[in-house]
Amino acid sequence: MKIANPDKNKIFTIIWLLISAFSALIMVSLLSCENKSSVRGLVVNPEFSDKVLSDNLVTKLRVKFITTSAFQPSEKDYRIVAEADWQGKFLFKEILDLQPPTSKWLPNRVYEIEKYVYFPAFINRFDPETAGGVRVNFSITFEEAGQVAPVVLFKRTLRLSPYPLDAPDVVYFDGWEKISRAWPGSNQPLAERWTQKQAVCLLKNSGRGAILMIRGQAAATGSKKQKVSLFLEDRLLDEFELEPGPFEKIYSLTAADLGQEPELRLTIAVDKTIKASEIYREIEKDREVGIKIETIYFR
C-alpha cells in the first residue's frame, strides 16, 4: 500500500491557500476600484440592461446606492448625475431623480433607480482607429448648487462598439420640412428636420419588442402649449403637451404592440403650427412648421 508523503501534501495545501488568498485579494481590489465612492459608507453599483454597449443605443441604466453602517446622513440634497463622455465631448448627462432625496438617506439601506440613457451615433466604423470600438468615460456624481467640483461616487471606463449594420433605419416619409441655415459664426450649413401639422415616418418591424425614442424641441407659439399626438398605425400611442424647449419621450413596446405588418407608420401630429420665419429671422421662404425632431430611434 502506497502511503502519501505528509510533507508533500502540506506544501500543496500551503500553495493552494496562498493562491486562494491572492485571488481573493485581486477580486476585492477590483471591486473596490469599481465601487469606490468619495462618500464614506456609500457603495454605488450601476449596470446597463444591454451587456454589449454600442453607440446609437438606448439602454436602461440601473443604479443601486447602498449605505453601510459607516454612512453619515447629510442635511444636503445633492443632485445625482450620470454622465458619459468621449474625448471631452458629452455623450449624455442625465439627472437621476431618486426618491427619497439624499438628505433623507439612512445607514444600512438600499436606494435604487432606473432610467433610460442614449449613447448617440458617433463612432466612425470606417476609421481604423475606431472601427474596433472606443473607450468612453462613465461616472456618477453628487452635484451641489454653487459647488465647483462634483463629488465622484463612481467612475469607470466603458467599451462601446459601432452599432450593428443591420440596425433598422427610420424612413422619413410625408409631412416633413427641412430647414437649412448657417451655424452661428460659420458658413457650414445646419440642417434641421421639422414636422408639418402632421408628419409620417416608417419603422421596420422586427417582430420583437423594441424601444421607441423621440427627441426634439418645441418652438414658442405665443403663450399656448403645443399638443402632440403620436399614432402607431391607427392606434393612439400617446398624447401630451409641450412647453417651448427640448423634450424626450421613450416607449418600451412589446411584440404585441407592434403587430404583424413588416413596416409601421409612426405619425406625429400637432394642434398648432408656427411660421418658420418667426423662429429664424434669416429664413426667407416661409413655411408652417410644428416641432423640431432631432432623433427618432427604433430598435
Side-chain angles (χ1 to χ4, degrees):
M1 182 175 66
K2 188 175 180 180
I3 301 176
N5 188 332
D7 292 334
K8 189 174 181 180
N9 289 341
K10 186 176 181 180
I11 291 172
F12 283 144
T13 301
I14 293 173
I15 292 174
W16 182 83
L17 289 173
L18 287 172
I19 292 173
S20 300
F22 184 66
S23 300
L25 183 62
I26 291 175
M27 288 301 297
V28 170
S29 176
L30 289 173
L31 289 172
S32 299
C33 288
E34 287 190 357
N35 301 323
K36 187 177 181 181
S37 166
S38 300
V39 178
R40 184 168 179 257
L42 178 63
V43 178
V44 181
N45 283 332
E47 63 176 14
F48 295 95
S49 57
D50 289 81
K51 301 304 180 185
V52 178
L53 298 177
S54 72
D55 67 338
N56 192 25
L57 174 70
V58 173
T59 184
K60 185 175 287 185
L61 171 64
R62 302 185 181 95
V63 188
K64 288 184 180 180
F65 298 89
I66 305 168
T67 60
T68 69
S69 57
F71 178 75
Q72 296 293 325
S74 171
E75 296 179 354
K76 298 179 180 179
D77 279 330
Y78 291 99
R79 186 172 71 164
I80 306 173
V81 178
E83 61 186 41
D85 71 88
W86 180 68
Q87 296 185 348
K89 297 179 181 179
F90 278 116
L91 301 178
F92 67 75
K93 185 172 183 177
E94 297 285 349
I95 297 173
L96 305 182
D97 190 14
L98 181 62
Q99 295 298 326
T102 56
S103 62
K104 305 295 184 183
W105 289 11
L106 298 173
N108 300 314
R109 297 288 193 278
V110 178
Y111 303 98
E112 299 182 58
I113 189 169
E114 294 185 350
K115 186 168 187 176
Y116 283 108
V117 297
Y118 175 56
F119 290 99
F122 71 97
I123 300 177
N124 184 354
R125 66 175 71 250
F126 302 107
D127 186 340
E129 294 185 1
T130 58
V134 299
R135 294 192 175 276
V136 305
N137 300 314
F138 171 70
S139 64
I140 298 175
T141 59
F142 272 169
E143 290 187 359
E144 184 183 2
Q147 189 177 16
V148 177
V151 178
V152 178
L153 306 177
F154 182 92
K155 191 172 184 178
R156 186 168 60 185
T157 300
L158 305 175
R159 183 169 183 80
L160 268 65
S161 304
Y163 69 90
L165 287 171
D166 60 354
D169 292 327
V170 175
V171 178
Y172 294 89
F173 195 49
D174 290 330
W176 299 94
E177 290 287 352
K178 185 178 180 181
I179 296 179
S180 297
R181 59 193 189 90
W183 281 94
S186 171
N187 293 324
Q188 294 295 323
L190 171 65
E192 297 179 348
R193 182 181 284 113
W194 289 73
T195 72
Q196 297 174 0
K197 193 172 180 63
Q198 182 171 294
V200 177
C201 59
L202 302 180
L203 310 175
K204 184 179 179 181
N205 187 359
S206 67
R208 303 187 302 269
I211 300 295
L212 172 65
M213 181 190 74
I214 303 174
R215 276 186 172 181
Q217 188 165 332
T221 55
S223 60
K224 297 180 180 179
K225 300 177 182 179
Q226 275 182 301
K227 183 179 178 180
V228 181
S229 302
L230 302 179
F231 295 88
L232 200 57
E233 292 297 318
D234 297 325
R235 180 173 62 89
L236 180 65
L237 178 63
D238 195 10
E239 203 164 55
F240 50 89
E241 291 186 330
L242 293 177
E243 299 276 3
F247 72 91
E248 176 185 89
K249 294 290 182 179
I250 298 180
Y251 307 93
S252 179
L253 303 174
T254 65
D257 293 328
L258 304 180
Q260 302 297 322
E261 295 297 325
E263 286 186 336
L264 300 168
R265 293 170 61 92
L266 173 67
T267 303
I268 304 172
V270 298
D271 67 335
K272 61 178 66 71
T273 57
I274 185 173
K275 292 183 182 296
S277 60
E278 294 181 33
I279 304 170
Y280 305 120
R281 293 181 180 178
E282 68 272 21
I283 292 178
E284 296 179 359
K285 184 181 177 182
D286 222 350
R287 290 160 286 177
E288 293 283 337
V289 296
I291 55 176
K292 181 169 70 172
I293 298 298
E294 295 168 352
T295 306
I296 294 180
Y297 171 100
F298 184 72
R299 182 173 157 195

